[in-house]
Amino acid sequence: MAVLDVHFKALDDCADAAADAAKRLVPADMLLGKTPAPPKDVESSIFGRLDHSHDLASDVQKIWRDILGTDLQDGRERLRGVERALDKVQSNIREADRP
């Protein structure tokens, strides 16, 4: 069997980059208070005297917790999947190239 011309270092670097990116996508509850994200309880007073400011505050809180938190989790899982897939690619290539 011919020796495959594969750049395993490049695959390793890509897998490492995916793992690093996944680590940066921390859960939403960990971000609260550490970023410009809304605090745990969004108070309607931050919107001044707007009509329905309580509803707006509730919606902001829901978007942050439910939607963005879910997206961050999904992103982490997909990046970890990329890391695992690249590792599997390397394993499969090495296995296929064995005499």
Side-chain angles (χ1 to χ4, degrees):
M1 183 180 292
V3 175
L4 297 173
D5 185 20
V6 177
H7 297 276
F8 290 104
K9 174 75 169 112
L11 292 171
D12 282 337
D13 290 347
C14 288
D16 290 346
D20 289 344
K23 289 176 190 171
R24 283 188 231 122
L25 291 178
V26 296
D29 58 344
M30 290 177 64
L31 286 175
L32 295 174
K34 297 180 183 178
T35 67
K40 285 191 175 197
D41 294 318
V42 178
E43 295 185 22
S44 59
S45 62
I46 66 171
F47 299 108
R49 296 171 52 183
L50 287 175
D51 291 341
H52 307 288
S53 60
H54 177 71
D55 294 335
L56 181 57
S58 295
D59 289 345
V60 167
Q61 188 167 328
K62 181 178 175 146
I63 288 169
W64 177 250
R65 286 191 178 152
D66 299 344
I67 298 170
L68 187 56
T70 300
D71 288 347
L72 289 172
Q73 177 67 29
D74 290 346
R76 265 192 319 281
E77 290 173 9
R78 288 177 188 211
L79 286 165
R80 288 180 182 138
V82 167
E83 178 187 15
R84 288 188 302 274
L86 288 168
D87 183 56
K88 187 69 174 171
V89 166
Q90 286 189 59
S91 297
N92 288 341
I93 291 172
R94 289 185 178 169
E95 183 66 30
D97 196 40
R98 285 192 185 152

